[in-house]
Amino acid sequence: GAVVSQHPSRVICKSGTSVKIECRSLDFQATTMFWYRQFPKKSLMLMATSNEGSKATYEQGVEKDKFLINHASLTLSTLTVTSAHPEDSSFYICRGIMNTEAFFGQGTRLTVV
Amino acid sequence: GDSVTQMEGPVTLSEEAFLTINCTYTATGYPSLFWYVQYPGEGLQLLLKATKADDKGSNKGFEATYRKETTSFHLEKGSVQVSDSAVYFCALSDSGAGGTSYGKLTFGQGTILTVHP
């Protein structure tokens, strides 16, 4: 069945560095990718919606220059956390859309030290 | 705006115990309601859904009924198994998605369930 493969599953980085998270849609073409983050004991919050070949649409309060989203192809979308700080430590998860169904990645646990 | 509130976890049960995870929501219009499950190391999977009032979603022994009068969608299972240990998310989708799961989703905070033998 359709799968979204998200990597890495866990990453620890130093403050000030950038981290790239990839989501690949396997066996299907994801025309739309949603990106979420989850704080401890909080809901998954939608960060942005990206459509293949166009700029991402960010939710209110999400810094687009800090969370760079690229959806250059129908099978790959990336989220880059630039100049990461400890407050960016969180669980990030993508969700790819195929026709009228959606499939989640496994999530990435980011820890900034 | 739309919001979903789940009972706080973690929930720890013995095998064959009865499970209830409460979920209430606030929304404009007529949302569709979903329960997602996330097993360790995997992505979220759709467990069940209901698209209108009084609908009952069911799958793998889990059930939830869309209660418009109480704005609730509580998840229940009569006899849990160790393999049900996972994180469970309640979610709603705006009415524009037509009951499918591909629209924007608003999630609850998730409830960790641990089932012991």
Side-chain angles (χ1 to χ4, degrees):
Chain A
V3 170
V4 173
S5 178
Q6 183 172 348
H7 292 282
S9 58
R10 290 180 180 273
V11 58
I12 301 173
C13 72
K14 291 185 177 180
S15 188
T17 61
S18 295
V19 174
K20 179 183 284 189
I21 300 169
E22 291 188 349
C23 278
R24 293 183 182 274
S25 54
L26 308 179
D27 298 326
F28 77 100
Q29 295 180 326
T31 53
T32 300
M33 191 75 76
F34 294 106
W35 285 93
Y36 298 83
R37 75 182 284 187
Q38 184 183 30
F39 296 97
K41 298 186 178 180
K42 299 288 185 183
S43 302
L44 274 73
M45 304 297 296
L46 179 65
M47 299 175 65
T49 304
S50 72
N51 293 298
E52 184 265 338
S54 61
K55 289 184 178 180
T57 301
Y58 289 82
E59 296 299 301
Q60 191 173 10
V62 177
E63 299 176 62
K64 59 182 180 181
D65 293 331
K66 180 165 188 62
F67 299 100
L68 300 179
I69 291 173
N70 185 285
H71 195 164
S73 77
L74 289 171
T75 58
L76 176 64
S77 179
T78 61
L79 166 66
T80 302
V81 183
T82 62
S83 187
H85 291 283
E87 58 266 30
D88 298 324
S89 298
S90 192
F91 183 75
Y92 295 86
I93 193 164
C94 62
R95 176 168 161 255
I97 307 300
M98 176 184 74
N99 296 327
T100 59
E101 293 300 326
F103 302 93
F104 282 91
Q106 299 91 332
T108 298
R109 175 73 60 190
L110 170 63
T111 303
V112 185
V113 298
Chain B
D2 297 347
S3 68
V4 176
T5 302
Q6 283 180 240
M7 65 183 285
E8 285 210 25
V11 174
T12 303
L13 296 173
S14 298
E15 207 164 24
E16 299 184 2
F18 184 86
L19 168 71
T20 299
I21 301 178
N22 290 338
C23 172
T24 57
Y25 68 91
T26 58
T28 55
Y30 302 95
S32 295
L33 302 174
F34 307 87
W35 276 99
Y36 283 85
V37 58
Q38 184 175 30
Y39 299 104
E42 299 182 16
L44 276 73
Q45 303 171 26
L46 179 63
L47 180 61
L48 54 84
K49 70 176 183 180
T51 59
K52 62 183 187 295
D54 299 325
D55 266 3
K56 178 186 283 187
S58 62
N59 186 24
K60 300 182 180 179
F62 291 90
E63 292 183 340
T65 302
Y66 189 144
R67 301 283 188 204
K68 193 169 186 296
E69 64 276 13
T70 55
T71 61
S72 65
F73 193 54
H74 304 321
L75 182 68
E76 297 182 336
K77 185 172 185 181
S79 176
V80 293
Q81 305 299 312
V82 173
S83 57
D84 294 326
S85 298
V87 183
Y88 292 82
F89 293 90
C90 185
L92 69 82
S93 178
D94 56 46
S95 54
T100 63
S101 62
Y102 73 95
K104 278 190 179 181
L105 291 176
T106 300
F107 286 91
Q109 67 268 46
T111 302
I112 299 172
L113 170 66
T114 303
V115 180
H116 292 297

